[in-house]
Amino acid sequence: MANTRRAKPNSWTAPSRSVHKIKVTLSGSKPPIWRRLEVPSGITLQQLHHVIQAAFGWEDYHMWAFGTPQGRYGIADPELGIRSAASKRLNEAVPHTGDRLGYTYDFGDDWEHDILIEEIAEPEPDTAYPRCLAGRRAGPPEDCGGIEGYEYLIEILADPAHEEHEDRLEWLGLDSADQFDPAAFDTAEVNPALSDLATVLIKP
């Protein structure tokens, strides 16, 4: 699909008096791949897209869309029934704890994400949002064929005798399979990626 990369703003000012705590899970992943994030409730779905991209290590190369109770939002495309994600705020789409929305990245590989609103709370003073609180497992590489393709990739990397082993290492730009750990996750790596997107909602 077409490259939809957009320049990211240095900071956002969202009209938020609350914060959405969300759990974003990559559907079909076993063991589950997920991120727990806190984001300003008033961010647009377009801004949430950038947050999810950073949290999972995606590169924003492909088409994407959110599925909400009010319809689909992404890069506006009337033929696909997708409205502009810049026109819809998170707290409009999912205003209550327990609400859910979907997020699809790459209409070819179809990386489906389930987003659960776990809590809506007041922001903490002198705290920058968005931020990542927790997560599990590394995000899959781009263009590896969706969940099934990713599982096959892990299988190949774990088997040095596999006929595709060296080709996949070269494709990933790795010298050895040890350089990619599918079980690895560290908030200390994710939060710096979110820092360009973060803003303090309440100053002391």
Side-chain angles (χ1 to χ4, degrees):
M1 301 300 290
N3 186 332
T4 60
R5 182 182 293 275
R6 296 290 185 271
K8 299 175 184 176
N10 291 328
S11 64
W12 292 334
T13 54
S16 297
R17 295 184 178 179
S18 63
V19 169
H20 272 48
K21 180 189 290 185
I22 63 176
K23 184 177 182 182
V24 186
T25 303
L26 190 56
S27 300
S29 56
K30 297 177 182 179
I33 301 170
W34 58 269
R35 305 288 184 263
R36 177 168 287 115
L37 306 164
E38 286 184 327
V39 301
S41 300
I43 64 172
T44 67
L45 295 184
Q46 183 179 51
Q47 292 168 333
L48 180 59
H49 157 72
H50 288 303
V51 172
I52 295 172
Q53 289 284 305
F56 280 85
W58 299 122
E59 299 291 339
D60 202 3
Y61 287 145
H62 301 284
M63 295 288 289
W64 54 274
F66 288 93
T68 79
Q70 299 86 22
R72 298 177 74 200
Y73 292 86
I75 303 299
D77 189 327
E79 291 186 3
L80 295 178
I82 299 175
R83 288 175 278 183
S84 171
S87 69
K88 195 71 168 179
R89 297 194 180 277
L90 178 62
N91 55 6
E92 295 172 337
V94 280
H96 306 296
T97 299
D99 286 348
R100 292 180 183 268
L101 70 161
Y103 170 74
T104 303
Y105 174 59
D106 186 347
F107 293 173
D109 280 4
D110 278 331
W111 297 106
E112 301 276 356
H113 303 69
D114 174 70
I115 303 172
L116 170 65
I117 311 307
E118 294 187 320
E119 185 180 357
I120 300 172
E122 294 183 1
E124 298 176 15
D126 201 27
T127 299
Y129 300 95
R131 63 177 178 172
C132 182
L133 301 177
R136 289 292 183 273
R137 305 187 68 81
E142 297 270 358
D143 301 318
C144 66
I147 285 294
E148 292 183 0
Y150 180 50
E151 291 173 349
Y152 184 50
L153 174 63
I154 292 174
E155 179 184 322
I156 293 171
L157 293 178
D159 181 6
H162 195 287
E163 61 181 3
E164 296 182 39
H165 185 81
E166 293 300 323
D167 287 342
R168 293 301 183 102
L169 286 178
E170 182 178 356
W171 178 68
L172 289 169
L174 303 178
D175 295 323
S176 70
D178 294 340
Q179 293 177 305
F180 178 74
D181 181 3
F185 175 78
D186 190 347
T187 56
E189 294 182 2
V190 173
N191 279 311
L194 294 172
S195 63
D196 286 345
L197 312 175
T199 187
V200 175
L201 301 181
I202 299 179
K203 298 182 179 180

